[in-house]
Amino acid sequence: MTDERYRVQSLGRALDLLELIARQGRDGARLSDLARDLTLSKAATYAILQTLLAHGVIADVGEGQSRRYRLGLTLARLGELAVANLSLSDLALPILREMTEETGMTSRVAVLDGAYAVVVGRVDGPGTVRFGDALGRRESPHCSAVGKAMLAAMPRRDAEAILRQTGLPRRTPHTITTLAAMLRELTTVHERGYAVDDEEDVEGVICVGACVYDRAGTATGAISVTGLKPRQENGRIDELGQIVRRHADKLSASLGGSANRSLRAAG
């Protein structure tokens, strides 16, 4: 439920305007008709239209009295992103439950939002320890398993640009804080097919993640497991990596994608 006290009237009018334009379909809508239906002056309606045009949310065709307004391609792009994110989190939840049941650890699915990893779904592991990252919280990609997994899946120049943008701030004594070392780490992630946050974000906690691909072969997100660092770490971490990678491939398949690229390259 929304709080009426914090609603922005001008934004509400812009959204109402979009609804009116959408109803007109391919023919579009005239300024005079939109102003009448919104019970606004033509000047106020025109100002809103110009703002929407500037952001690509609507498009216009014609001139003068015959000028009409239609929905813009920006909405199509945003709609595709919204569907992709919803589909990924919805499809991922059963797989996250399987991973949690198999490992006893908390499982997560994340997407890249700009330069940061954002968790969009989580299944908590059993027991008293809870890793209560809020859904939607942005994580620095250099010290998270999901972030590293997605960086390793993209062209090196793109990954480097993101790392330069976010920086590599030190979170713990184990955090990788130089670009050269992180780029070497991403090469390792790509070769073995999974990423490890080895106490790099929080001391005593490890995360193991793997990338998820869509039908176009694009990295669309990543999944991971999180838990307290095991005493016998090396064998256990590699075992977790194989489990997460297997489930990431299953999620990729449900999106129409194929197995981890590093696996295919390694044969």
Side-chain angles (χ1 to χ4, degrees), residues 48-63:
I48 297 174
L49 289 170
Q50 292 307 300
T51 302
L52 296 175
L53 278 169
H55 288 274
V57 179
I58 62 172
D60 62 340
V61 61
E63 297 180 355

Side-chain angles (χ1 to χ4, degrees), residues 140-157:
S140 296
H142 74 292
C143 58
S144 70
V146 288
K148 287 185 190 179
M150 290 186 282
L151 287 176
M154 64 178 62
R156 180 54 56 93
R157 63 180 180 278

